[in-house]
Amino acid sequence: MIKGEDNNMLERPVVKIAPDTYLVSEYKLVNMFLVVGKHRAALIDTGGGIGPLPEDIERLTGLPLVVIATHGDPDHVGGAGHFPHVYLHPLDWEHSRRFPLNNTMRKWFVKTRAPVRNPGNERKIDALVPRQELPQPEYLPLADGDVFDLGGRTLEVIHTPGHSPGSICLLDKKNRLLFTGDTVNVSMALTGHDFHEYNASLRRLWARESEFDSICIGHELPAMREKQAIARYISMTEIWCDCEA
């Protein structure tokens, strides 16, 4: 918990959602996930860079850490500068550089998102924007089919372009979880995308639905949702594809 400016405690939700799997919420603005194996752990997304993210992770695990971004939007790689490097699909490297990863961006993010996702706490969250700028992130490439072995547990990369060119999902077969970032969510405005490409990505995920039971989404709480959300997104994008034809 973080002390707010009115001396109340502003909660940064950290919740165990499955065996050795934690939601780390950036004050309800963005969902991040820590997946712990026997030999190392994976942090999925880094939020916007607000609050003590490395300290949160260190409290949960002392294992070596690999950091993986589901895509290059600033609310998912804004905290990447906390870490030596972050894995990101190369198709999103330029996409990420379109957005300034600085405190001006973070304050804009709080101003525009906090009133909806954590109303009443805008000033407290704004006060947690770092006083010093974070280093600019260093990205390492990943590709469709890559597997991160954490020791007794793996995360498979599934390239799912649509929300962004380099969007990915991560499949944890052992715990039957699919981490979807913003590819599948419950509050995303689906505008400005290639809906045919996006629909194809969703269909690719749904073709493997026998391998997972739940999805872990990039925004909104609860962070774990039923996998049927993918099927609903397929139906929605099919309607838009017909409209574009």
Side-chain angles (χ1 to χ4, degrees):
M1 295 195 178
I2 301 298
K3 194 170 185 180
E5 60 188 345
D6 63 356
N7 293 322
N8 292 323
M9 300 301 286
L10 179 61
E11 183 178 2
R12 180 182 175 99
V14 177
V15 181
K16 187 175 184 178
I17 59 173
D20 296 316
T21 308
Y22 300 87
L23 160 72
V24 181
S25 171
E26 191 172 59
Y27 309 104
K28 301 183 181 181
L29 304 183
V30 187
N31 296 335
M32 300 166 278
F33 299 94
L34 182 69
V35 178
V36 182
K38 293 180 180 178
H39 306 308
R40 62 177 179 166
L43 176 63
I44 300 173
D45 286 331
T46 67
I50 303 165
L53 180 57
E55 292 86 341
D56 284 339
I57 302 306
E58 289 169 5
R59 281 193 288 268
L60 295 170
T61 181
L63 291 174
L65 188 69
V66 56
V67 184
I68 310 166
T70 60
H71 61 294
D73 283 352
D75 54 337
H76 292 261
V77 297
H82 282 301
F83 306 98
H85 47 254
V86 174
Y87 285 91
L88 177 69
H89 196 288
L91 288 179
D92 263 18
W93 288 8
E94 287 302 319
H95 174 77
S96 174
R97 294 185 180 108
R98 291 170 48 202
F99 306 100
L101 298 183
N102 56 31
N103 289 337
T104 299
M105 178 278 295
R106 295 179 182 100
K107 285 183 172 292
W108 174 85
F109 180 62
V110 172
K111 181 179 179 180
T112 58
R113 300 303 192 272
V116 176
R117 294 176 177 159
N118 200 343
N121 287 311
E122 297 91 337
R123 292 180 63 193
K124 294 179 183 178
I125 300 173
D126 183 79
L128 295 169
V129 172
R131 294 187 178 183
Q132 294 184 340
E133 297 288 356
L134 295 178
Q136 290 301 299
E138 177 183 341
Y139 296 132
L140 296 179
L142 51 67
D144 183 64
D146 283 355
V147 175
F148 291 89
D149 188 348
L150 307 179
R153 186 177 193 180
T154 61
L155 293 173
E156 179 189 345
V157 176
I158 304 174
H159 183 209
T160 51
H163 179 75
S164 70
S167 285
I168 65 163
C169 295
L170 292 161
L171 177 62
D172 174 4
K173 291 183 181 179
K174 181 176 181 179
N175 285 280
R176 300 185 60 78
L177 299 173
L178 181 71
F179 299 89
T180 61
D182 283 352
T183 295
V184 183
N185 234 310
V186 296
S187 63
M188 301 307 297
L190 301 177
T191 57
H193 306 300
D194 182 332
F195 290 120
H196 295 276
E197 180 180 59
Y198 184 47
N199 179 267
S201 291
L202 294 168
R203 287 184 168 279
R204 188 171 179 222
L205 291 177
W206 196 240
R208 301 185 63 174
E209 59 88 18
S210 64
E211 299 177 70
F212 56 92
D213 296 326
S214 302
I215 62 174
C216 300
I217 61 177
H219 296 278
E220 309 301 338
L221 299 177
M224 186 183 292
R225 302 294 180 108
E226 60 177 15
K227 63 183 178 182
Q228 283 73 20
I230 299 173
R232 291 194 290 271
Y233 266 43
I234 290 172
S235 297
M236 286 190 293
T237 53
E238 284 178 345
I239 292 171
W240 282 313
C241 287
D242 288 342
C243 290
E244 290 181 338

